[in-house]
Amino acid sequence: MRRVPFLAAALAVAGAAVVLGSAPLRSGALAATSSAAGRGFVGAWRLTFDTPLGASQSLLTVAADGTVLFSGRPARPAAEGVPITFVSAGHGVWQQTGPTTAETTWVGFVSDGQGNFLATATDSVQATLDADGDSWSGSYSATVADPSGTVIFVGGGTVQATRITVQPLATPAAGTPVASR
């Protein structure tokens, strides 16, 4: 059944994103600085997963309290023999495993275009924070189970993450119309 590998790959990407968000737990408020120094894995990340269907982009937020939120594309386009599917946000936990390493696991749900529950995806990531503190990389695994809990897919790959940072306000180019209020 071609539907299972597609759903599994979609869920794997979502799971990996959450896991990659794992980072050193920090307590207390962050200092008012533009530097990521000292924040470890805590923060917001843009993820790129290597999946069986090619590269996939997602977002991951790693909180100091040990929780993570993951979001990938909410809808997966139809492919040959596979319907359009919709994926929930992923919710999970992370823990630091070393000075620059962490693990995370999150869970998300997959539905079809009619809202029928198709599967649960559980993703796990092992991440290593780069020396700059603004990127990390690692490996992920994804397990997809049908509504009865039967595992229908297990896969994995690699993930790369870059920290989302505050960007200056955009300035319109000369001659570009500006929205009015």
Side-chain angles (χ1 to χ4, degrees):
M1 183 168 158
R2 297 187 64 130
R3 180 181 193 181
V4 171
F6 177 77
L7 290 175
L11 293 175
V13 169
V18 172
V19 174
L20 293 178
S22 301
L25 185 60
R26 303 289 187 220
S27 62
L30 295 176
T33 175
S34 61
S35 168
R39 289 190 267 172
F41 289 94
V42 172
W45 300 90
R46 181 181 307 267
L47 306 174
T48 301
F49 289 91
D50 169 31
T51 75
L53 300 174
S56 181
Q57 301 274 324
S58 341
L59 301 172
L60 179 68
T61 299
V62 178
D65 69 356
T67 60
V68 295
L69 285 174
F70 168 82
S71 63
R73 296 182 307 178
R76 308 281 182 210
E80 184 180 329
V82 180
I84 294 173
T85 55
F86 298 88
V87 182
S88 74
H91 297 260
V93 296
W94 72 275
Q95 65 184 15
Q96 190 165 347
T97 57
T100 60
T101 59
E103 294 178 337
T104 185
T105 297
W106 66 91
V107 178
F109 301 114
V110 179
S111 299
D112 66 16
Q114 290 72 46
N116 298 306
F117 175 54
L118 300 176
T120 300
T122 302
D123 298 326
S124 294
V125 174
Q126 291 183 333
T128 300
L129 189 65
D130 291 345
D132 67 5
D134 283 333
S135 57
W136 54 263
S137 60
S139 58
Y140 74 91
S141 67
T143 302
V144 179
D146 69 17
S148 72
T150 301
V151 173
I152 57 176
F153 175 84
V154 175
T158 59
V159 60
Q160 302 284 324
T162 56
R163 188 180 298 278
I164 297 172
T165 59
V166 175
Q167 302 295 308
L169 289 175
T171 304
T176 302
V178 177
S180 61
R181 295 181 184 195

